[in-house]
Amino acid sequence: MARRTTKTPPPDDGFEERILDIDVVDEMQASYLEYAYSVIYARALPDARDGMKPVHRRIVYQMNEMGLRPDRAFVKCARVVGEVMGKLHPHGDASIYDAMVRMAQPFSQRLPLVDGHGNFGSLDDLPAAMRYTEARMSGPAQLMVESIDEDTVDFAPNYDGQEQEPAVLPSAYPNLLVNGASGIAVGMATNMPPHNLGEVIAAARHLIRYPNADLDALMRHIPGPDLPTGGRIIGLSGIRDAYETGRGTFKIRATVSVEDVTARRKGLVVTELPFTVGPEKVIAKIKDMVGAKKLQGIADVKDLTDREHGLRLVIEIKNGFNPEAVLEQLYKLTPMEDSFGINNVALVDGQPLTLGLRELLEVYVDHRFEVVRRRSEFRRTKRRDRLHLVNGLLVALVDIDEVIAIIRASDNAAQAKERLMERFGLSEIQTQYILDTPLRRLTRFDRIELEAERDKLDQEIAELTRILESDAELRKLVSAELAAVAKQYGTERRTVLLESAGAPVSAVPLEVADDPCRVLLSSTGLLARTSQLDEPGEGGGRRVKHDVIVSAVPTTARADVGAVTSFGRLLRLTVIDLPMLPDTAGSPSLAGGAPLSEFLSLEDGERVLCLTTLDESSPGLALGTEQGVVKRVVPDYPANKDDLEVIGLKDGDTVVGAVELRTGEEDLVFITDDAQLLRYPASQVRPQGRPAGGMAGVKLADGAKVISFTAVDPAADAVVFTVARAEDTLDGAGEGTAKLTPFEQYPRKGRATGGVRCQRFLRGETGLLLAWAGAAPARAATATGSPADLPPKDPRRDGSGVPLAKPVAVVAGPV
């Protein structure tokens, strides 16, 4: 038992105490039920007819009363909130403004009801305060209150009985299905997704025409929700369950495409996210998963969203990872895939019910029938009242002289009214209207206008009567009005509906397989990798479109290779970072390659000479310097270092050639600028550690320097190509004659000797400008990479050269 104490004032001073014993269970039950009913009916659940909760209905109605129509100026949101709170909604300004903001957000509602001006927030940010933002009704909101002043809906007193508010809005379209709803009541909740206006109206019109239509027929018009933020709905079975029973679940996935975000890296570009999910939420979750090492393969996440292009979230994928497999991980671990639980709970005749698609449409259509019927009745009554007055005035105009005489002969207005009613058989309303009409309205022209108005009123009354007396005409009118709304405000579907997610992406390996490949370096400094491992034949070789491959090494996709530079450095390159060339017949083309500068940081004047594998079981590198030093490097390349010194150079010396030995049985070849060629076996050079400075490789004449160092298989068909320097150009270093000689013409000699002459100079030629020795067939290119022709072979070891059609900048042999 509980005890309730009350005090009542007796006739004299003081208070008399009255104590009532009540059952606490009964008191709690009654109070809880009253509270629950208040929350359900007055706050949390929408009405199935107009799809609005009381706060939304009051906002739209009050904005209409304030005249904030789409063609009027914006007003401060604080003014609207104050009017709504003061007259209709006594629950605080925060709840009113929050509801008003949501009605203005295009990412929250499929058809916004408030036209907002200012910062109304985003999926990640709160809106500005109501004193800063402005608003007015949108076009669809005006349709919600259209004809509300024509007795189309019932009105009820507001919270203090001083104002009247509509119990429901006329609602010219099915707002509950179009914009959806969400709310938590006591012991129940509602969660309804938005739909496409055109599809919903098409289904409603089908139900009007065929009242017994089943769910399958309606779903041909409404296949599923159409969310404001787009996205992809995966699996339609849950949607059908919801349309049939009022409860169901479906999954929403972000719209993602795989693009090249940089020259050497792919990325996932997100242009649409699931409903109610913002980019910052996705970014934060991705960073958490990457930090916890639950998500692999992501290098960076950037939010490039702007007003011009809309949402654009770029997720960069690390090289070596399959974007499709990473995307599958993102779907599983982040809000890029989200579930939406449909719970179609709405008020029907004041009672919360769970409704399927057909029931929702039926409730709306019945409501619209009632609205149009009441509107037609109201308009017919108004026109009948006006026709009654027009007929009375026309009677008076027929005998206007007698009417004036009666009025002049009467002692007062009351006597004139009685005499006119008795003489012409007029009603009291007609007589009063005649007496109130100015004399200027009693001309012949006014009579013609009145007769035309009478005929028009008769026609309109007949049309309205036909609608009221014919159910078919009423249905036809409602359907036509819905079609006009769809034509005016209908938009294309944004959300893609998919039966399933397609092929199982989980079957795709996360990381790229460590497949064999080749890394290529071109004469113009382009790097790439290719899966073509076979040696191209004649017509292939090192010549590609507008370029020449100067170095190629076999490796695997997840390995590293080295780039040897003219400063004696070996820089590590990750193969998977290099762009992959498409498989094509014939020789590979480096049109899809990327510049060296994107992978390596070179110093001023430093050049990359060749590529090398980092296999420590190989014979190692062989290097030759400008000052005649030769070195074989012990293949020792620590995995934790990306920049290694492979030769200790003297001051002023540079590496002019570097080559990776395949067998260790090759011949090393020096060519100097004074046309001396020295050839000896690589076995004559003892391998040294990386910091060592090498040993004497060739004996140089005074003022001479090495311009070429290569390694040649003595058993292979090889050639020597040289180009003389002519002194008759402005800079004194122009191209002279060129010579192509079989390599076999040059005998072996010992290391550190002077070699033999490889070209005889003509008059005006002062030395060699370019030289190269290597396997045939040789291919040449200009400085821009375009192909250049070589001269025919000259069997003379020390013969003179012939002129070239194009200046040659680089020569190379087969890959």
Side-chain angles (χ1 to χ4, degrees), residues 309-503:
H309 301 94
L311 176 67
R312 185 174 175 85
L313 191 63
V314 179
I315 304 171
E316 293 188 9
I317 305 300
K318 290 180 179 179
N319 290 316
F321 288 83
N322 287 312
E324 293 81 4
V326 175
L327 179 60
E328 185 71 11
Q329 283 192 324
L330 289 169
Y331 284 146
K332 291 180 179 179
L333 301 176
T334 72
M336 285 177 59
E337 178 178 284
D338 199 11
S339 294
F340 190 101
I342 301 177
N343 190 21
N344 296 335
V345 178
L347 297 175
V348 180
D349 296 331
Q351 300 297 320
L353 298 177
T354 302
L355 307 172
L357 177 63
R358 190 176 191 281
E359 289 77 17
L360 287 168
L361 289 172
E362 280 181 336
V363 171
Y364 171 76
V365 168
D366 291 343
H367 169 62
R368 195 59 191 168
F369 286 158
E370 181 64 20
V371 167
V372 175
R373 185 180 294 109
R374 291 179 61 165
R375 184 189 67 192
S376 299
E377 185 65 44
F378 178 85
R379 290 177 178 178
R380 186 174 68 171
T381 300
K382 285 290 186 182
R383 282 154 180 75
R384 281 177 173 175
D385 292 343
R386 176 60 184 169
L387 180 61
H388 186 60
L389 297 177
V390 170
N391 285 334
L393 194 55
L394 286 172
V395 170
L397 285 175
V398 172
D399 295 316
I400 187 62
D401 294 334
E402 185 177 358
V403 169
I404 294 175
I406 292 174
I407 294 173
R408 293 185 62 186
S410 300
D411 295 334
N412 51 47
Q415 184 182 24
K417 181 188 295 186
E418 292 177 1
R419 295 178 65 183
L420 287 173
M421 291 171 60
E422 181 180 354
R423 170 65 183 84
F424 296 104
L426 301 172
S427 67
E428 183 177 353
I429 295 175
Q430 288 176 318
T431 306
Q432 185 63 48
Y433 184 70
I434 293 171
L435 292 174
D436 293 340
T437 302
L439 289 176
R440 66 175 181 271
R441 292 292 312 277
L442 303 179
T443 64
R444 182 184 303 172
F445 181 74
D446 288 302
R447 178 178 177 179
I448 296 173
E449 283 188 340
L450 288 171
E451 289 175 346
E453 184 181 0
R454 177 193 62 192
D455 295 341
K456 181 180 178 181
L457 290 170
D458 285 334
Q459 182 180 358
E460 291 177 349
I461 291 170
E463 178 66 23
L464 292 169
T465 302
R466 186 165 60 88
I467 293 172
L468 291 170
E469 293 179 351
S470 172
D471 183 68
E473 290 296 326
L474 179 63
R475 289 177 174 272
K476 182 178 178 181
L477 176 60
V478 172
S479 179
E481 290 180 350
L482 285 172
V485 174
K487 183 178 180 180
Q488 184 177 7
Y489 293 105
T491 57
E492 295 293 329
R493 166 173 280 276
R494 299 176 186 173
T495 302
V496 177
L497 303 177
L498 300 174
E499 284 285 355
S500 64

Side-chain angles (χ1 to χ4, degrees), residues 746-800:
Y746 301 94
R748 283 181 174 178
K749 296 186 70 175
R751 179 179 63 83
T753 60
V756 296
R757 188 165 59 184
C758 58
Q759 180 171 346
R760 183 180 299 275
F761 298 132
L762 301 177
R763 181 180 297 177
E765 295 177 341
T766 60
L768 291 184
L769 179 66
L770 175 68
W772 173 84
R779 298 288 182 258
T782 66
T784 60
S786 61
D789 293 329
L790 295 177
K793 286 185 180 180
D794 186 347
R796 297 174 301 166
R797 185 181 68 189
D798 62 345
S800 58

Side-chain angles (χ1 to χ4, degrees), residues 501-561:
V505 183
S506 57
V508 178
L510 178 62
E511 298 186 25
V512 173
D514 196 19
D515 295 328
C517 65
R518 283 189 303 169
V519 177
L520 310 176
L521 172 65
S522 78
S523 64
T524 55
L526 296 179
L527 279 171
R529 59 188 172 100
T530 176
S531 60
Q532 294 179 346
L533 301 178
D534 55 322
E535 292 287 341
E538 187 69 27
R542 289 182 177 242
R543 178 180 293 179
V544 296
K545 295 179 181 178
H546 305 296
D547 215 339
V548 165
I549 299 174
V550 296
S551 184
V553 292
T555 181
T556 59
R558 305 195 67 81
D560 291 341
V561 297

Side-chain angles (χ1 to χ4, degrees), residues 583-598:
D583 292 337
T584 57
S587 60
S589 169
L590 263 69
L596 279 165
S597 58
E598 292 192 9

Side-chain angles (χ1 to χ4, degrees), residues 41 47 49-50 52 54 57 148 153-156 165-169:
Y41 181 75
D47 193 295
R49 295 169 291 178
D50 62 2
M52 289 190 169
R57 186 179 303 116
I148 196 172
V153 294
D154 294 332
F155 279 72
E165 63 174 316
V168 67
L169 297 183

